[in-house]
Amino acid sequence: MTDRMPASPRSRLPLFLGGLALGAALATAVSFALRTGDGDVKAPPEERQAAQLPVAVACPPSAVVPAADAKDGQARFDGATDASKSIVSGKEAAASGRDRDAEAAFLAACRVPVQPGNPKATLLRADAMYNLARHYASLAEEGASGSQDMLKRAGSMLDYALAVYQSQLGQSDEKVQFALRAIATIREHPKQAEQRPRADAVSRPTEAVVGELPRPAVPKSQTRTAAIEKRPAAATGGGAPSPEPKQAVTITAPTAKPSFDCAKARSTPERLICSDEELANQDRELGRIYARAKREAPDPAAFQRLSDREWRRREAECRTRDCLLDWYAERRRQLLGQ
């Protein structure tokens, strides 16, 4: 019996080549595992997000809102570099009735240069377009001249803002819902909008509601203890058994009442206010400030127009307690300033 001779380098060559082939196969498998369903290699989240951004829409080329008075249209926002600050300035101008200044501020925010593929900057531009579109829509609802042009501008900007919000924030984000509601509103025929019943207008400030601020009756559904709905027992003699008692869903009534009748509350903000003691107190206090500011307003019609504008903003955008608290603080500051 002879000893086995060690394998020569030439005899080990097939093993070496087989190892290379196996390594290449593993690398190919890993590459395919990293690919998405459409065959593209997965990119980092920020790169995927940037790739999904919609094609940019141009900002309006010029201002179209007329000055509300001699003080309006005097502010200068040319050369603005901070879109977020310009948006805040636009909101403050709109709340104070300086419609032309509000448009100029939102336009400045929209025109801040955006680097391609920068999701954060693109989101700010979408915010600027959304606020400018909402400003146009509010003016159109108030019957401002040039309403048709404003609504046309608002439509394209809201479509762009919606696409950005959906791509960056997801379908369930509140900004997506705001944009959807705004789009639905501006696409209604003006006459239909005028004839639409204001089922959610119970909390709109009026002298009839906040003049003496009476305490409204507590709705029957707002009891302090849970009620059980009893059903009649089934008849004897083989009748079907009676259903199980049904638990009625109730809301604990707050100690303080808001300035409006909670029995007529319909909108989400109104229901939140009626179910929260602090919000109800804030609403009642704001009602007192509102009544005083309206009595001292030099132009009652203009005062009511701006008040309705801010009320519509609350109804359209506030879906949380924190949003309502911020709105009451801001509105209180506005009225005290007047």
Side-chain angles (χ1 to χ4, degrees):
M1 183 174 181
T2 60
D3 294 335
R4 179 175 295 179
M5 296 296 292
S8 66
R10 178 172 297 180
S11 66
R12 291 198 297 270
L13 181 61
L15 294 176
F16 176 74
L17 294 176
L20 286 178
L22 180 61
L26 289 174
T28 302
V30 171
S31 176
F32 276 108
L34 291 176
R35 291 180 179 274
T36 59
D38 58 1
D40 293 330
V41 178
K42 286 185 177 179
E46 61 274 9
E47 293 182 13
R48 294 202 307 272
Q49 189 180 54
Q52 296 171 356
L53 293 179
V55 178
V57 172
C59 301
S62 59
V64 295
V65 176
D69 52 38
K71 297 180 181 180
D72 189 20
Q74 302 301 314
R76 291 289 177 268
F77 300 96
D78 299 336
T81 58
D82 191 324
S84 60
K85 289 183 179 179
S86 294
I87 291 173
V88 172
S89 297
K91 291 181 177 180
E92 292 176 347
S96 62
R98 294 184 290 114
D99 299 337
R100 177 86 170 191
D101 284 343
E103 181 191 29
F106 293 140
L107 279 173
C110 183
R111 292 169 181 169
V112 172
V114 176
Q115 295 180 350
N118 185 335
K120 184 177 179 180
T122 303
L123 186 60
L124 267 178
R125 172 168 287 179
D127 287 341
M129 287 193 175
Y130 168 78
N131 280 279
L132 179 55
R134 193 170 61 79
H135 184 53
Y136 285 149
S138 183
L139 291 172
E141 187 171 352
E142 295 168 8
S145 60
S147 294
Q148 291 303 316
D149 185 21
M150 293 180 192
L151 291 177
K152 184 177 180 181
R153 289 183 171 201
S156 60
M157 289 189 292
L158 285 173
D159 287 340
Y160 172 75
L162 175 62
V164 173
Y165 293 156
Q166 288 174 328
S167 65
Q168 293 203 47
L169 306 176
Q171 188 65 34
S172 61
D173 190 85
E174 63 178 9
K175 287 188 176 183
V176 173
Q177 306 309 313
F178 295 161
L180 287 171
R181 283 194 293 270
I183 289 172
T185 298
I186 67 170
R187 287 181 178 171
E188 287 183 337
H189 191 277
K191 291 185 178 180
Q192 291 177 341
E194 292 173 4
Q195 296 171 1
R196 184 177 65 248
R198 292 184 177 273
D200 57 348
V202 62
S203 60
R204 182 190 296 271
T206 61
E207 287 298 326
V209 175
V210 300
E212 296 299 329
L213 297 175
R215 286 183 176 270
V218 179
K220 292 181 180 179
S221 62
Q222 292 182 327
T223 56
R224 297 187 181 278
T225 57
I228 299 179
E229 182 182 345
K230 298 289 186 179
R231 295 182 180 272
T236 58
S242 61
E244 291 294 326
K246 181 181 178 182
Q247 293 287 343
V249 179
T250 59
I251 302 175
T252 302
T255 302
K257 310 299 186 299
S259 64
F260 58 92
D261 188 353
C262 285
K264 299 177 181 178
R266 296 292 182 272
S267 67
T268 297
E270 289 169 350
R271 292 191 181 107
L272 286 171
I273 295 165
C274 288
S275 63
D276 188 289
E277 183 175 351
E278 183 178 2
L279 290 175
N281 276 325
Q282 292 278 347
D283 187 83
R284 193 170 181 83
E285 177 62 21
L286 186 68
R288 294 190 179 94
I289 299 173
Y290 168 87
R292 177 183 173 186
K294 185 170 185 177
R295 287 194 301 268
E296 299 178 4
D299 187 344
F303 175 88
Q304 190 64 54
R305 178 174 62 86
L306 296 178
S307 177
D308 285 350
R309 179 184 296 178
E310 289 302 297
W311 178 87
R312 287 195 301 270
R313 181 170 69 87
R314 186 201 76 181
E315 291 295 289
E317 296 189 354
C318 280
R319 294 296 180 272
T320 64
R321 183 176 187 272
D322 288 343
C323 178
L324 285 169
L325 287 173
D326 290 343
W327 183 86
Y328 277 118
E330 181 181 357
R331 188 70 184 122
R332 185 175 187 274
R333 179 179 56 80
Q334 293 170 358
L335 290 174
L336 289 175
Q338 296 176 21

